[in-house]
Amino acid sequence: ETGVTQSPTHLIKTRGQQVTLRCSSQSGHNTVSWYQQALGQGPQFIFQYYREEENGRGNFPPRFSGLQFPNYSSELNVNALELDDSALYLCASSGGGFGANVLTFGAGSRLTVL
Amino acid sequence: AQSVTQLDSQVPVFEEAPVELRCNYSSSVSVYLFWYVQYPNQGLQLLLKYLSGSTLVESINGFEAEFNKSQTSFHLRKPSVHISDTAEYFCAVHSGGSNYKLTFGKGTLLTVNP
């Protein structure tokens, strides 16, 4: 089975720009979550998507938005980038059933905002 | 609200020595607990999990953790570490429900020296 894949792996943007990060979930998984990991910190929950709907959100402003597609892949969009948005963005997928809360993470997209 | 405290930000040890990485959590409901490992410039990999049943859980590479409900702890241990165990370790908690949000600690950097 394929794991979670994310693209791009690295990117550099300037303040005020917009960015789109992409994620393909693990085969058989229907739920996708996004996390932000700042340098030296643990990952922070941004939001989660299930059946193309957002069904949970962390303490992030509306300029962080997302999409989930019928094939369960997902996008994270960040508008009006700020310097503090520099971080590793991790996508995680999970399936249904009892083990649904066991997340499989991708390798991440490292965003640098200058 | 739930939170996770990893009591040590850095733990240096010598190869073949035992190690314990400490994790305490707070939650008002039953929890599921996880340890993830992150190698440099990589995403998170699930090391082990407690969902239910036996309070002692083990990984395939010799780590174990014990869920202690009275002390709200989930400490990670290994009797003899290897150089290859050098990584950042994150403890995480999930309190159930349809939202698969994980709350992570800030991480413990385990450095194994020869």
Side-chain angles (χ1 to χ4, degrees):
Chain A
E1 59 183 20
T2 57
V4 177
T5 57
Q6 294 186 241
S7 63
T9 54
H10 295 83
L11 69 166
I12 299 173
K13 293 285 187 178
T14 57
R15 196 169 48 182
Q17 286 188 311
Q18 178 265 344
V19 68
T20 297
L21 307 179
R22 296 178 174 82
C23 172
S24 294
S25 60
Q26 181 169 307
S27 176
H29 286 184
N30 56 15
T31 302
V32 174
S33 305
W34 286 91
Y35 288 77
Q36 180 196 66
Q37 186 181 14
L39 196 63
Q41 301 295 316
Q44 298 285 319
F45 176 73
I46 302 175
F47 44 54
Q48 179 187 132
Y49 279 82
Y50 172 67
R51 291 186 175 179
E52 302 176 53
E53 298 278 340
E54 183 183 295
N55 77 334
R57 189 178 184 93
N59 188 27
F60 281 82
R63 59 188 185 85
F64 285 77
S65 63
L67 287 172
Q68 187 182 30
F69 300 99
N71 66 354
Y72 306 127
S73 65
S74 177
E75 286 183 355
L76 165 65
N77 298 290
V78 187
N79 294 320
L81 284 168
E82 301 177 359
L83 297 179
D84 285 348
D85 296 333
S86 294
L88 180 68
Y89 288 85
L90 296 165
C91 172
S93 69
S94 57
F98 180 64
N101 49 16
V102 180
L103 304 184
T104 301
F105 283 85
S109 294
R110 186 166 297 281
L111 171 65
T112 302
V113 183
L114 303 177
Chain B
Q2 53 200 18
S3 66
V4 176
T5 301
Q6 291 185 244
L7 296 163
D8 306 294
S9 59
Q10 298 186 51
V11 173
V13 296
F14 288 108
E15 194 173 18
E16 298 183 5
V19 70
E20 178 180 78
L21 306 184
R22 296 179 292 170
C23 172
N24 287 90
Y25 69 90
S26 67
S27 176
S28 58
V29 298
S30 298
V31 296
Y32 305 109
L33 294 157
F34 305 84
W35 277 97
Y36 281 86
V37 59
Q38 186 175 37
Y39 297 99
N41 300 313
Q42 294 188 25
L44 300 175
Q45 299 176 28
L46 179 65
L47 188 60
L48 45 75
K49 61 185 183 289
Y50 169 78
L51 302 181
S52 68
S54 173
T55 58
L56 182 65
V57 291
E58 300 177 351
S59 72
I60 59 173
N61 57 354
F63 283 94
E64 65 178 30
E66 186 162 18
F67 170 52
N68 188 319
K69 187 175 182 179
S70 63
Q71 297 188 5
T72 61
S73 67
F74 191 56
H75 301 332
L76 180 69
R77 302 183 182 94
K78 188 170 184 179
S80 176
V81 294
H82 303 290
I83 299 283
S84 60
D85 293 325
T86 294
E88 187 95 31
Y89 292 79
F90 292 95
C91 181
V93 62
H94 168 51
S95 59
S98 61
N99 182 327
Y100 305 141
K101 169 187 174 183
L102 287 182
T103 299
F104 284 88
K106 291 187 175 181
T108 297
L109 177 62
L110 173 64
T111 303
V112 182
N113 299 300

